[in-house]
Amino acid sequence: MSNQPRYFPSIVKLDVGGQHFTTSLQTLTRDPNSMLAAMFSGRHEVQTTEDGSFFIDRDGTYFRFILNYLRNGELILPDGATFLKELEAEAKFYQLQGILDELHRTAPKVFEESVILTNEEHRRVLKTWLPIKSEWRLLFRASRDGFAALAFHFKCDNKGPTVTVVKSGGNIFGGFTGNAWRSKIN
């Protein structure tokens, strides 16, 4: 690898963690506050590979979404995308505030149906602790579905990862399991 001179062609070949992309310099510099605009402004040294591609030492798995956002000004993801945290990490690295704003706007509405977790700060903290990758939904509410263990297991068994929140008196407590509930009752 050699250091890149401060001139950049109008069509740019990229090697992002071993994955190859071709785009325009105009696309790469579209967001003037981004890391990509800084990298391709001529102010920084950018390494090239033997084939002349500009090397970026990042995982290239989600870079196509970064490029398409810069091309279209819109974040388009497949339905049910489960890689939002990974894409968020890449958007943070590339300093693409528009993608970060869009990801937060389209984040799953976790705990919205809860009558126990009504404090938005509590919801926010829990969201940062949990591996929320897709839509969560309310499975069981004792005041609605009954307080018996059989009712709980009927609604919650074999449903995948769950968060259980309980209010007893003035106390709220709960837990998370990445494994599905299973019982011999059901």
Side-chain angles (χ1 to χ4, degrees):
M1 290 190 196
S2 63
N3 289 333
Q4 165 59 32
R6 295 195 181 269
Y7 165 78
F8 296 99
S10 60
I11 302 299
V12 179
K13 290 183 185 179
L14 299 170
D15 176 342
V16 183
Q19 294 195 27
H20 297 272
F21 300 89
T22 302
T23 190
S24 69
L25 182 62
Q26 181 181 7
T27 294
L28 288 174
T29 58
R30 181 146 298 140
D31 182 340
N33 299 315
S34 74
M35 176 65 75
L36 288 166
M39 290 169 71
F40 290 93
S41 68
R43 297 177 296 191
H44 303 280
E45 288 186 18
V46 182
Q47 294 182 324
T48 56
T49 61
E50 290 176 4
D51 73 354
S53 296
F54 295 95
F55 179 72
I56 301 175
D57 192 14
R58 297 293 294 180
D59 184 343
T61 306
Y62 308 111
F63 191 73
R64 73 183 180 108
F65 299 107
I66 302 284
L67 270 184
N68 286 334
Y69 171 78
L70 290 170
R71 288 174 177 137
N72 307 322
E74 181 181 9
L75 181 62
I76 300 172
L77 301 173
D79 289 338
T82 59
F83 51 83
L84 301 181
K85 284 209 180 281
E86 294 92 339
L87 183 58
E88 181 180 18
E90 293 306 299
K92 283 180 182 176
F93 173 80
Y94 293 112
Q95 299 175 10
L96 292 163
Q97 190 60 48
I99 290 180
L100 293 170
D101 292 345
E102 188 66 25
L103 285 171
H104 293 133
R105 197 172 14 264
T106 60
K109 303 261 187 258
V110 181
F111 310 122
E112 295 297 317
E113 296 180 67
S114 176
V115 294
I116 297 173
L117 294 173
T118 57
N119 181 308
E120 189 55 42
E121 179 62 16
H122 294 163
R123 289 179 180 181
R124 189 192 63 73
V125 169
L126 281 172
K127 288 175 190 178
T128 64
W129 290 348
L130 296 170
I132 298 169
K133 294 182 178 177
S134 61
E135 190 166 332
W136 287 62
R137 59 188 160 79
L138 180 67
L139 297 174
F140 175 81
R141 178 178 286 146
S143 61
R144 176 190 72 193
D145 301 314
F147 290 87
L150 182 62
F152 173 84
H153 285 286
F154 179 76
K155 294 281 192 169
C156 298
D157 279 5
N158 303 310
K159 301 291 194 224
T162 56
V163 174
T164 304
V165 179
V166 178
K167 184 173 185 179
S168 178
N171 298 309
I172 298 173
F173 56 95
F176 167 79
T177 178
N179 299 321
W181 287 92
R182 288 182 174 62
S183 71
K184 296 182 184 195
I185 320 173
N186 220 2

